[in-house]
Amino acid sequence: MADEAFENPRLAALYDPLDPDRSDLDVYVRIAEEFGARRVLDIGCGTGVFALMLADRGVDVVGVDPAEASLAVARGKAGGGRVRWLHGDATALPPLRVDLATMTANVAQAIVDPVDWRGTLRGAYAALRSGGRLVFETRVPARRAWEGWNRRATYGVTDVPGVGPVESWLDLLSVDLPLVTFRWTAVLGVDGDVLTSDSTLRFRERAEVEADLLAAGFVVDEVRDAPDRPGREFVFIARRP
């Protein structure tokens, strides 16, 4: 099940306006170029920002996501017809042979159930051609990112066309490592509606992720630092032999 932030049509429509700076995706574009990827599977594609960045560069992209509301936003964007959008997850994909599979932003951490996580890795492996790569990021647990997930640090007001001013912030609900749960709140200025979405992320240690990748058949080629968040995230690059 997808979080309410992605499954609720009203919240899904706010996702891009409330988070317009997606420079965090530039590293994935560069990685796709580095490996000469012409066919890409974007796992947890959400509203399609990264998939469309690649499609604009002539890449053949398949985007898969469990949230139909987010996919509806993605399909409605300019160029949305150039991407193959799939409703579901990586555990039940049609036959594919891609050069690169990605999980950007929170996607890898949002897969909190160990069975689902292992199934996702197996699905990505099956979708890749021999020599193809899986690339994803996950936060370094020791950096305790959740300490900044509070109203004081995250509160903002954004003027959204057709909606008006929207207040939004995060509240930390629980820390029971490796799981951390937080709530996103949005208050719509036009009618004062309060919309909320609770999310849980799994904070995995580097050795745990590497062991899971090896168990799924991958070779771990490299673990890089996130260039825009140095020291705070692991960027895993794993290869199907």
Side-chain angles (χ1 to χ4, degrees), residues 99-204:
D99 306 310
L100 178 69
T102 60
M103 290 185 280
T104 66
N106 286 336
V107 172
Q109 288 189 258
I111 306 170
V112 298
D113 182 88
V115 173
D116 293 338
W117 174 240
R118 290 192 293 269
T120 297
L121 296 181
R122 289 194 300 268
Y125 184 93
L128 287 164
R129 63 166 174 80
S130 179
R133 293 171 175 86
L134 169 64
V135 180
F136 61 92
E137 65 189 68
T138 184
R139 292 176 179 84
V140 177
R143 294 303 299 267
R144 302 173 65 87
W146 58 84
E147 292 181 346
W149 298 348
N150 55 69
R151 178 167 178 151
R152 180 182 57 83
T154 61
Y155 179 86
V157 181
T158 305
D159 191 19
V160 178
V163 178
V166 176
E167 300 176 78
S168 63
W169 66 89
L170 299 179
D171 288 306
L172 184 64
L173 299 183
S174 68
V175 179
D176 185 16
L177 294 177
L179 303 180
V180 176
T181 300
F182 61 95
R183 175 171 294 154
W184 177 51
T185 299
V187 181
L188 279 58
V190 173
D191 50 23
D193 281 358
V194 179
L195 307 176
T196 63
S197 176
D198 292 356
S199 299
T200 299
L201 301 181
R202 190 177 192 95
F203 283 74
R204 299 178 177 92

Side-chain angles (χ1 to χ4, degrees), residues 2-166:
D3 294 341
E4 194 72 5
F6 310 109
E7 195 62 81
N8 183 317
R10 296 181 76 189
L11 287 175
L14 293 174
Y15 185 83
D16 292 333
L18 295 185
D19 188 18
D21 179 9
R22 296 312 309 274
S23 57
D24 60 300
L25 298 174
D26 292 343
V27 62
Y28 287 93
V29 172
R30 292 195 295 271
I31 286 173
E33 293 172 345
E34 175 184 348
F35 296 129
R38 304 309 306 161
R39 295 165 297 174
V40 174
L41 170 64
D42 184 16
I43 300 169
C45 63
T47 58
V49 177
F50 178 59
L52 289 169
M53 290 172 70
L54 293 180
D56 286 345
R57 290 163 171 79
V59 177
D60 182 10
V61 187
V62 176
V64 61
D65 199 279
E68 182 57 49
S70 292
L71 288 175
V73 174
R75 293 188 189 100
K77 291 181 176 180
R82 296 200 300 269
V83 176
R84 181 184 178 188
W85 307 106
L86 300 177
H87 182 218
D89 58 42
T91 66
L93 293 167
L96 298 171
R97 276 296 176 267
V98 299
D99 306 310
L100 178 69
T102 60
M103 290 185 280
T104 66
N106 286 336
V107 172
Q109 288 189 258
I111 306 170
V112 298
D113 182 88
V115 173
D116 293 338
W117 174 240
R118 290 192 293 269
T120 297
L121 296 181
R122 289 194 300 268
Y125 184 93
L128 287 164
R129 63 166 174 80
S130 179
R133 293 171 175 86
L134 169 64
V135 180
F136 61 92
E137 65 189 68
T138 184
R139 292 176 179 84
V140 177
R143 294 303 299 267
R144 302 173 65 87
W146 58 84
E147 292 181 346
W149 298 348
N150 55 69
R151 178 167 178 151
R152 180 182 57 83
T154 61
Y155 179 86
V157 181
T158 305
D159 191 19
V160 178
V163 178
V166 176

Side-chain angles (χ1 to χ4, degrees), residues 204-212 234 236:
R204 299 178 177 92
E205 297 291 348
R206 172 174 173 168
E208 177 188 359
V209 177
E210 291 181 333
D212 289 342
F234 302 120
F236 289 88

